[in-house]
Amino acid sequence: MGVLRFAAAAVALLASVGEAAPSSPVSTVNKRALKFDFGGEKVRGVNLGGWFVLEPWITPSIFENAPAAAVDEYTFCESLGKDEAKSRLEAHWSSFYTENDFALIKQYGLNMVRIPIGYWSITPLDDPYVQGAYEHLKTAVQWAGNHGLKVMIDLHGAPRSQNGFDNSGRRGAIGWTQGESVENTKKALNKIRDDFANNDAVAAIELLNEPMGPQLNMDTVRQFYYDGWGNLRTTNVAIVFHDAFEGVTSWNEFGAGMDNLVLDTHHYEVFDSGALSMGINDHIKTACDFGNQMASNNKWTIAGEWSGASTDCAKWLNGRDVGARYDGSFNKDGQGSYYIGDCARKSVGTVAGLNEAERNNIQNFIKAQIAAFEKGAGWIFWTWKNEAAPEWHFQNLTEAGLVPQPLSSAASSGICG
Ligand SMILES: *[C@@H]1O[C@H](CO)[C@@H](O)[C@H](O)[C@H]1NC(C)=O
């Protein structure tokens, strides 16, 4: 065991030297051995989205059965009241995923699951959210371990919302960094550390999903990352930080002397009109170019979220009752959009319902993205399953033959040149 650990540390050290990491020799003396070889093996993962943090587009049925005011987990709980919300959420937590999903994830060649969870499930504050998901997270980690999968626990929702997206738990204002919110975020992370860092299956902890850098004070974000890293540094988990939408090449100066950092970037080509206007060849080229960027910085860099989508037509993808930019029906916070194409075909609800041309495009786009992201440290698809969004359904896409198998064949296919 000691020998193995030393070997892993040596490999990681060599990898970081090879990448000309800025860390000094002094700091590497105490470098902790990791449970996943981020410098050697490619991360090939799926997100378990919409399980412990509700998203209207992942499980529209949960929201269709709730009051119209329910647009995220916060308002879901608020509009139903704690007792009713708790009973519905408990039913969801205990059924949306089962151990069989983990068996299939392993069978399809994946090695990691990223599991989003909100602060309210870990270190609750006095607000409408209800608790209980954390117990299910413990079960999920056990299931992952049973099937030889590694887990990245991802703090997806911080107090007052770090990005204003429904997937932070609360859609609307970005209030994170105000009041005690940063301190409370660190408390949640420390509890994750205390409960999970020693678990063999837990290879990584992500400090915070998608803090909205352009609208936050980046000095505060960097200080939070530094402190969060400091609180985890004596564990054997990799410490993952999101690029805060600042780009994967903008972090080269950050992290000198900080071991075991993994940079997480999210690659979607559906959330602005420029990307939505592209044909499939430009989508593929954009993905391939992005992989080169990921490989050009001085960090282990993963695409921790991406999908097979080339439009935003999936129902409620932009939020409950918010339309799509693609067909010009987007309407949120005074922003509109213009018509690029028709969503009628594009919003077909199942992989089985896709036509031949759609299948070909999705297949090539997925292959290109895997090839691209494996120029970096790997990838984690968003998401394993959902109710009605085929381009975002890794399980069904794989079963339909639209994901390369074996997964390693994408990188050698030459699709990115
Ligand atoms: C996924 O496959 C299942 C089983 O065939 C099916 O019931 C479901 O509608 C599919 N969902 C999507 C989004 O393809």
Side-chain angles (χ1 to χ4, degrees):
M1 192 58 189
V3 173
L4 279 176
R5 285 200 162 184
F6 174 77
V11 167
L13 181 57
L14 283 173
S16 70
V17 169
E19 288 167 22
S23 29
S24 68
V26 175
S27 69
T28 53
V29 168
N30 294 319
K31 191 177 175 80
R32 307 294 295 219
L34 294 177
K35 296 172 236 177
F36 183 90
D37 178 12
F38 286 89
E41 205 177 336
K42 298 302 174 189
V43 174
R44 296 182 176 130
V46 282
N47 284 278
L48 311 188
W51 190 13
F52 301 141
V53 180
L54 290 186
E55 296 193 36
W57 73 271
I58 295 180
T59 55
S61 68
I62 290 182
F63 285 83
E64 279 155 357
N65 292 323
V71 299
D72 52 28
E73 188 158 332
Y74 184 101
T75 49
F76 177 85
C77 296
E78 188 178 50
S79 63
L80 287 170
K82 289 209 182 215
D83 290 350
E84 182 62 21
K86 166 93 178 173
S87 109
R88 294 189 192 191
L89 284 171
E90 194 57 55
H92 169 66
W93 295 328
S94 57
S95 64
F96 190 42
Y97 277 81
T98 68
E99 185 164 4
N100 189 50
D101 289 299
F102 291 77
L104 287 176
I105 289 166
K106 178 68 180 181
Q107 194 183 312
Y108 295 167
L110 298 152
N111 53 27
M112 195 173 291
V113 291
R114 178 172 178 261
I115 310 184
I117 189 151
Y119 77 87
W120 58 89
S121 301
I122 308 162
T123 45
L125 298 172
D126 183 18
D127 55 30
Y129 289 114
V130 298
Q131 286 71 47
Y134 202 58
E135 291 309 308
H136 293 273
L137 173 64
K138 290 176 184 165
T139 307
V141 167
Q142 182 143 18
W143 287 342
N146 291 349
H147 295 279
L149 293 163
K150 294 301 183 198
V151 177
M152 178 182 296
I153 299 177
D154 152 41
L155 186 65
H156 216 72
R160 300 186 186 217
S161 183
Q162 73 277 20
N163 53 37
F165 299 148
D166 55 12
N167 56 61
S168 71
R170 192 167 192 192
R171 163 177 147 181
I174 301 172
W176 185 68
T177 69
Q178 293 168 23
E180 304 288 298
S181 56
V182 173
E183 280 312 306
N184 286 329
T185 306
K186 288 191 252 175
K187 282 181 189 156
L189 288 165
N190 288 348
K191 177 143 176 69
I192 294 173
R193 174 198 63 198
D194 295 346
D195 294 338
F196 288 104
N198 284 330
N199 189 301
D200 279 344
V202 176
I205 294 173
E206 180 153 3
L207 299 176
L208 186 57
N209 182 64
E210 297 188 350
M212 186 54 73
Q215 291 177 55
L216 292 165
N217 180 335
M218 279 304 296
D219 288 337
T220 309
V221 175
R222 278 186 289 264
Q223 185 65 44
F224 163 73
Y225 282 162
Y226 186 80
D227 294 344
W229 173 84
N231 290 337
L232 291 169
R233 64 175 304 188
T234 57
T235 72
N236 298 85
V237 297
I239 300 154
V240 185
F241 70 107
H242 181 261
D243 68 7
F245 303 105
E246 301 288 324
V248 288
T249 53
S250 74
W251 291 92
N252 286 346
E253 309 302 313
F254 176 83
M258 295 163 72
D259 296 320
N260 293 337
L261 280 178
V262 173
L263 177 60
D264 174 24
T265 189
H266 296 169
H267 187 75
Y268 292 121
E269 300 186 17
V270 298
F271 293 121
D272 65 84
S273 50
L276 288 165
S277 306
M278 293 190 295
I280 185 64
N281 291 336
D282 284 334
H283 277 296
I284 286 172
K285 183 175 185 316
T286 302
C288 293
D289 290 348
F290 190 71
N292 291 332
Q293 271 190 52
M294 287 171 66
S296 74
N297 67 12
N298 65 3
K299 302 276 186 304
W300 294 329
T301 302
I302 59 163
E305 293 187 17
W306 61 284
S307 79
S310 52
T311 76
D312 63 342
C313 291
K315 180 181 177 180
W316 293 353
L317 183 68
N318 297 305
R320 182 176 186 169
D321 297 327
V322 177
R325 290 182 183 84
Y326 190 72
D327 71 357
S329 62
F330 184 86
N331 191 339
K332 191 181 169 209
D333 307 329
Q335 297 171 60
S337 66
Y338 58 85
Y339 180 88
I340 295 168
D342 192 351
C343 274
R345 251 320 294 168
K346 299 261 178 357
S347 56
V348 54
T350 63
V351 172
L354 298 168
N355 67 30
E356 189 66 23
E358 290 160 347
R359 291 166 60 95
N360 281 338
N361 286 347
I362 292 172
Q363 184 172 29
N364 285 322
F365 191 31
I366 288 177
K367 191 199 287 182
Q369 288 183 88
I370 292 178
F373 305 148
E374 291 192 6
K375 294 182 181 187
W379 49 270
I380 308 178
F381 188 93
W382 189 278
T383 180
W384 173 248
K385 65 162 86 166
N386 63 67
E387 288 177 354
E391 298 157 302
W392 305 76
H393 199 303
F394 196 90
Q395 179 185 359
N396 286 11
L397 289 167
T398 302
E399 288 167 6
L402 304 184
V403 174
Q405 288 286 342
L407 295 167
S408 58
S409 66
S412 52
S413 71
I415 191 166
C416 278

